[in-house]
Amino acid sequence: SAMLAILMVVTMFPVTAFAATSETWTKVDLADIKETDTVTITMTDSSGNTYALYNGNGASKAPVAVVCAVSGNTMTAEQSSSDIGWNISNNSGTLIIYKAGTKDAWLYSTNTNNGTRVGSNESKTWVIDSASGYLKHEGTGRYLGVYLTNPDWRCYTSINNNITGQTLGFYVKG
């Protein structure tokens, strides 16, 4: 009967319910984001797969595209906000996207190699392009999207086949 009691407890409380790194995020409009909010930026592809923007890899490598689960206006990611969290400064639609908790590193685009990086490059402002709905880097004129073949975030001079059909989203932690 002790074995039966253990079996009952395991059945009632599945281990996945205790995933320590899982965090919940709520979809918001850009206008509702405060600079102190921890935000994750996502792109959802035409198949409905959603990817969050990783804030690591620094100035040496493209941020990986972190797979997320979305249900309605709620997103769940197995990575913590320290991995996918950002703070967004919004000055009348001109955005600076800082790695959460710092003003020393931000998202930027290089002018070569479709590079998207996190660091202290001078050119750090973005806008949401009204025609496409994509984030567009002001310094390079490049569009941010997820390159699905090797899921990571890249910036292209046009919304070409590599990043077409994606939808931008913003989610606040909690």
Side-chain angles (χ1 to χ4, degrees), residues 15-39:
V15 173
T16 55
F18 301 104
T21 58
S22 185
E23 292 182 346
T24 302
W25 303 73
T26 304
K27 190 167 192 170
V28 294
D29 291 326
L30 176 63
D32 297 328
I33 296 172
K34 295 185 273 322
E35 198 166 334
T36 55
D37 288 338
T38 300
V39 179

Side-chain angles (χ1 to χ4, degrees), residues 30 93 126-137 143 159 168:
L30 176 63
W126 298 81
V127 295
I128 295 180
D129 180 62
S130 58
S132 65
Y134 281 66
L135 278 168
K136 186 175 182 182
H137 189 257
Y143 299 88
I159 299 169
L168 178 65

Side-chain angles (χ1 to χ4, degrees), residues 132-151:
S132 65
Y134 281 66
L135 278 168
K136 186 175 182 182
H137 189 257
E138 285 197 311
T140 62
R142 290 175 177 262
Y143 299 88
L144 181 67
V146 175
Y147 177 64
L148 298 173
T149 303
N150 173 40

Side-chain angles (χ1 to χ4, degrees), residues 23-169:
E23 292 182 346
T24 302
W25 303 73
T26 304
K27 190 167 192 170
V28 294
D29 291 326
L30 176 63
D32 297 328
I33 296 172
K34 295 185 273 322
E35 198 166 334
T36 55
D37 288 338
T38 300
V39 179
T40 195
I41 299 164
T42 64
M43 286 300 251
T44 301
D45 69 17
S46 57
S47 300
N49 301 308
T50 299
Y51 303 91
L53 177 61
Y54 179 64
N55 65 24
N57 290 355
S60 63
K61 192 171 158 184
V64 295
V66 178
V67 177
C68 301
V70 174
S71 176
N73 286 329
T74 303
M75 182 196 78
T76 306
E78 294 304 317
Q79 281 70 22
S80 74
S81 56
S82 61
D83 294 330
I84 60 173
W86 300 89
N87 299 126
I88 299 175
S89 170
N90 184 349
N91 183 4
S92 303
T94 299
L95 313 174
I96 301 173
I97 303 168
Y98 294 102
K99 183 175 178 173
T102 183
K103 296 273 181 155
D104 297 332
W106 50 82
L107 185 69
Y108 68 90
S109 169
T110 64
N111 207 14
T112 58
N113 195 25
N114 306 320
T116 304
R117 303 289 186 260
V118 179
S120 57
N121 181 291
E122 286 183 31
S123 186
K124 60 184 173 182
T125 56
W126 298 81
V127 295
I128 295 180
D129 180 62
S130 58
S132 65
Y134 281 66
L135 278 168
K136 186 175 182 182
H137 189 257
E138 285 197 311
T140 62
R142 290 175 177 262
Y143 299 88
L144 181 67
V146 175
Y147 177 64
L148 298 173
T149 303
N150 173 40
D152 61 11
W153 290 76
R154 299 185 187 186
C155 285
Y156 292 94
T157 55
S158 65
I159 299 169
N160 58 39
N161 289 338
N162 290 333
I163 60 169
T164 192
Q166 298 178 9
T167 305
L168 178 65

